[in-house]
Amino acid sequence: MNNSRSDSYAAAGVDIQAGYRAVELMKKHVASTRTPGVLDGIGGFGGLFLPELSGMEQPVLVSGTDGVGTKLKLAFLQDRHDTVGIDCVAMCVNDIVCCGARPLFFLDYIACGKNVPERIEAIVSGVADGCRQAGCAIVGGETAEMPGFYPENEYDLAGFAVGIVDRARILDKARVAPGDALIALPSSGVHSNGFSLVRRVFDEAALSGPLGAALLTPTRIYVKPVLALMDAVPVKSVAHITGGGFYENIPRALPGGVAARIERAAVRTPELFDRIAAEGGIPERDMFNTFNMGVGMCVCVAASDADRAIETLRAAGEDAYLLGETVSGEGVELC
């Protein structure tokens, strides 16, 4: 690679050598995520993965893609870049586990105004952290230096994950019926949604300090606890509470004619959300229609399985609790 350089391209703002340096710095992070299915190392044209299919009758691939959104603005203000990669992974793997799938591998895309190798390394270290939490491997990615398109000290981050599930084990919301139990898995904070509203409520001075650091807490990854739950209890459906909050995401895990009835007092909402609502003058319904309000995932099981489900999730490290129940109707009833 030492022979690959272009003074003309460098004069235009693209430093090829910085790109190679970033790749060298990130290699150890990528290697830390390696799983038995990985067949190729970093630097090729495509990532190769050989999935373990034994015991599966009809293997189904499940994919998910997402980014970090305007939460990145807080990373810029805090000049901290080693956590947003966790968010990127979480937003993808938490989606695919809602189908019952086990994540296999992940690829990221980083677009930046100026390639600072140490900053790229920090971002990828977070991606690697998220992948280790989810039990999947980084098999590739892309770093694009785009001067004039992004400011020098800013970047965007997105990625996608691919998982696998036997067709017979795909979670099917059609199994949900009135009288089922809804179980909450607590969030680690605001996660990666609603930050355009957060940034309207708080000015840059506030977001540059301790408040911004707290808001930068990465999205919790629920893959291993949910997969453990699926092995212990017949899970009917799972909702990842992302953008759109309760009102948009919980109905996605319910069939027609079935609604979610949730007692407001049952929702364990961290003080941070109360502060956002108070300082922004945001109505409660808008809060529940924008943020996760302390609930990162909602799991639906038969009422007779609720105690065992909560016990299993707690054994897996989740402080799960009963959130509500399903009833006849449509949408979400917050009472």
Side-chain angles (χ1 to χ4, degrees):
M1 292 295 187
N2 289 335
N3 291 329
S4 178
R5 57 171 54 87
S6 170
D7 292 338
S8 299
Y9 211 7
V14 179
D15 188 344
I16 297 174
Q17 292 297 314
Y20 297 147
R21 170 64 176 158
V23 169
E24 288 302 313
L25 291 175
M26 71 176 70
K27 278 185 175 180
K28 61 181 180 291
H29 303 294
V30 174
S32 73
T33 72
R34 191 178 182 89
T35 63
V38 178
L39 297 182
D40 197 18
I42 189 171
F45 286 98
L48 305 178
F49 193 93
L50 179 64
E52 174 55 62
L53 303 179
S54 60
M56 290 191 176
E57 294 185 2
Q58 288 184 289
V60 177
L61 295 178
V62 182
S63 58
T65 185
D66 212 331
V68 183
T70 61
K71 185 176 185 176
L72 291 175
K73 289 287 190 179
L74 275 70
F76 307 154
L77 289 169
Q78 292 279 329
D79 194 23
R80 183 177 181 186
H81 311 282
D82 61 344
T83 63
V84 290
I86 302 174
D87 290 292
C88 190
V89 175
M91 297 303 289
C92 298
V93 298
N94 284 345
D95 275 356
I96 68 174
V97 81
C98 289
C99 297
R102 172 174 57 87
L104 297 175
F105 57 83
F106 185 85
L107 289 89
D108 60 58
Y109 175 78
I110 305 168
C112 57
K114 181 178 176 59
N115 188 332
V116 179
E118 292 75 16
R119 185 164 59 209
I120 300 300
E121 179 193 10
I123 297 168
V124 174
S125 74
V127 174
D129 190 350
C131 285
R132 290 192 298 270
Q133 291 181 41
C136 63
I138 300 173
V139 296
E142 172 70 11
T143 301
E145 189 172 22
M146 302 169 64
F149 196 88
Y150 293 96
E152 282 197 0
N153 292 319
E154 296 191 5
Y155 56 84
D156 197 7
L157 172 62
F160 78 89
V162 173
I164 194 167
V165 60
D166 202 352
R167 186 170 183 173
R169 287 175 60 86
I170 296 174
L171 298 184
D172 183 1
K173 66 182 181 181
R175 300 170 185 163
V176 177
D180 287 336
L182 299 173
I183 297 170
L185 280 66
S187 70
S188 55
V190 180
H191 281 182
S192 298
N193 300 103
F195 277 89
S196 293
L197 180 52
V198 168
R199 291 186 301 107
R200 185 191 68 78
V201 172
F202 302 109
D203 59 24
E204 287 195 1
L207 296 176
S208 298
L211 173 63
L215 286 164
L216 205 53
T217 300
T219 304
R220 192 168 180 84
I221 292 176
Y222 300 99
V223 170
K224 292 179 180 179
V226 171
L227 292 178
L229 179 64
M230 287 181 58
D231 288 336
V233 173
V235 176
K236 295 192 174 188
S237 69
V238 179
H240 182 199
I241 313 302
T242 56
F246 280 41
Y247 288 103
E248 181 175 324
N249 291 288
I250 294 178
R252 293 169 65 184
L254 303 175
V258 178
R261 178 176 291 164
I262 297 168
E263 289 189 27
R264 174 64 182 90
V267 183
R268 301 176 185 175
T269 303
E271 184 276 334
L272 179 59
F273 293 97
D274 295 333
R275 182 175 175 184
I276 293 170
E279 297 200 22
I282 304 169
E284 182 174 78
R285 195 190 190 289
D286 286 359
M287 290 294 295
F288 275 89
N289 209 158
T290 305
F291 301 106
N292 65 60
M293 298 301 285
V295 179
M297 274 200 167
C298 178
V299 176
C300 182
V301 300
S304 58
D305 291 323
D307 289 343
R308 187 179 176 198
I310 291 173
E311 179 182 336
T312 300
L313 288 166
R314 288 179 176 172
E318 295 297 328
D319 189 18
Y321 63 92
L322 189 63
L323 183 67
E325 64 178 345
T326 55
V327 297
S328 295
E330 297 290 340
V332 174
E333 300 174 12
L334 195 63
C335 53

